[in-house]
Amino acid sequence: MKLLLKTILIAAVSGQVLRAAPASTSPLSQIGVSGGSSLSLPMQIALSLTLMVLLPAAIMSITPFLRITIVLHFLRQALGTQGTPSNQVLVGLSLFLSILILQPVLVDVYHNAWEPMDQGKISASQAFDEGAKPLKTFLARFAREKDVKLFVEIAHAPAPRNSADLTLPVLIPAYILSELKTGFQIGAMLFLPFLVIDLVVASVTVSIGMVQLPPVMLSAPFKILVFVLVDGWNLVVGSLVKSFY
């Protein structure tokens, strides 16, 4: 994760250097990696493109996107509407909700890391360290202590005194495990009222001997009707967003 963010920052700085460099200056002499070592331009481009492949996985794993998509998937399964809403709609809703929730974190990263680096006040490595602080604070808020302890032991890292001592290689998997558990807990709670409707409809159909139609087909309209009457989308999305504050 650190290498990915660092490469993105280096690529941005490299583009600005190339635009500002005179024609007689070799691009290779203008581009360097912090730490004293330098890479050629084709190597940096190849490295940047390779690591950019990991960016979608990072967005899906270390943002609220993970919890939101799990809950919305469980909701669709509980409603029994098969592919409605479609995966594209659920992913789009999850993405925009994640941006909304992460907006304060992104603003802090921009002001504390990107702006000083863009003005030449700090290096790319220092910009990463400054930008990682708001992200670590966000991850530490939702990572369970049990999961953090597990990955501290796996990494053979010293016991942290507080959340600021935790590193991203420990915080990220701990956050993912915690969000998976939270998402499944919320999804199970969403299933219960719809399960009651399924049981009631199944009991009625069996008692009157109506076995030609599956109970699921009969209960689906009732579940959708109840969900619409209580303004379910507003309740679910509102509760999801509030769970991050």
Side-chain angles (χ1 to χ4, degrees):
M1 182 62 192
K2 180 174 181 179
L3 186 56
L4 173 62
L5 295 177
K6 194 171 181 180
T7 304
I8 295 174
L9 294 173
I10 292 172
V13 174
S14 301
Q16 293 180 356
V17 170
L18 286 175
R19 289 193 298 267
S24 60
T25 306
S26 172
L28 299 182
S29 63
Q30 297 290 335
I31 302 173
V33 181
S34 59
S37 60
S38 59
L39 294 175
S40 63
L41 179 59
M43 181 61 70
Q44 289 197 23
I45 294 175
L47 184 62
S48 300
L49 292 177
T50 302
L51 292 178
M52 284 293 289
V53 177
L54 301 176
L55 187 59
I59 294 175
M60 291 186 292
S61 300
I62 62 174
T63 65
F65 186 91
L66 178 59
R67 181 191 302 185
I68 296 172
T69 50
I70 291 175
V71 172
L72 294 182
H73 174 76
F74 273 110
L75 176 61
R76 187 175 65 180
Q77 293 293 106
L79 285 172
T81 54
Q82 303 302 325
T84 305
S86 64
N87 290 331
Q88 291 83 353
V89 173
L90 295 184
V91 170
L93 177 60
S94 303
L95 181 60
F96 285 109
L97 289 177
S98 301
I99 294 174
L100 174 65
I101 296 169
L102 276 180
Q103 186 176 2
V105 178
L106 298 177
V107 170
D108 288 342
V109 172
Y110 178 79
H111 289 304
N112 298 335
W114 181 263
E115 275 190 343
M117 188 196 69
D118 192 40
Q119 297 170 0
K121 297 179 180 179
I122 59 176
S123 64
S125 179
Q126 292 172 328
F128 170 80
D129 293 335
E130 292 297 324
K133 291 179 181 178
L135 179 61
K136 289 169 64 175
T137 302
F138 174 81
L139 297 179
R141 284 176 55 197
F142 302 102
R144 297 186 306 160
E145 183 179 350
K146 182 178 180 180
D147 296 326
V148 172
K149 182 179 179 182
L150 170 64
F151 287 101
V152 168
E153 294 175 353
I154 292 175
H156 301 289
R161 293 170 296 179
N162 49 51
S163 59
D165 294 336
L166 294 172
T167 59
L168 287 179
V170 170
L171 267 178
I172 289 175
Y175 170 82
I176 293 173
L177 282 189
S178 301
E179 287 297 282
L180 286 174
K181 180 177 180 179
T182 304
F184 272 75
Q185 287 176 335
I186 299 175
M189 294 300 296
L190 283 175
F191 249 106
L192 292 179
F194 299 108
L195 180 60
V196 172
I197 297 176
D198 285 332
L199 292 175
V200 171
V201 172
S203 300
V204 172
T205 54
V206 171
S207 63
I208 63 177
M210 192 176 175
V211 295
Q212 294 83 2
L213 291 176
V216 176
M217 291 185 60
L218 297 175
S219 62
F222 292 101
K223 291 190 290 186
I224 296 174
L225 180 61
V226 171
F227 187 73
V228 172
L229 288 177
V230 300
D231 199 5
W233 287 112
N234 183 279
L235 292 175
V236 172
V237 172
S239 300
L240 273 174
V241 173
K242 291 176 183 178
S243 67
F244 287 95
Y245 291 98

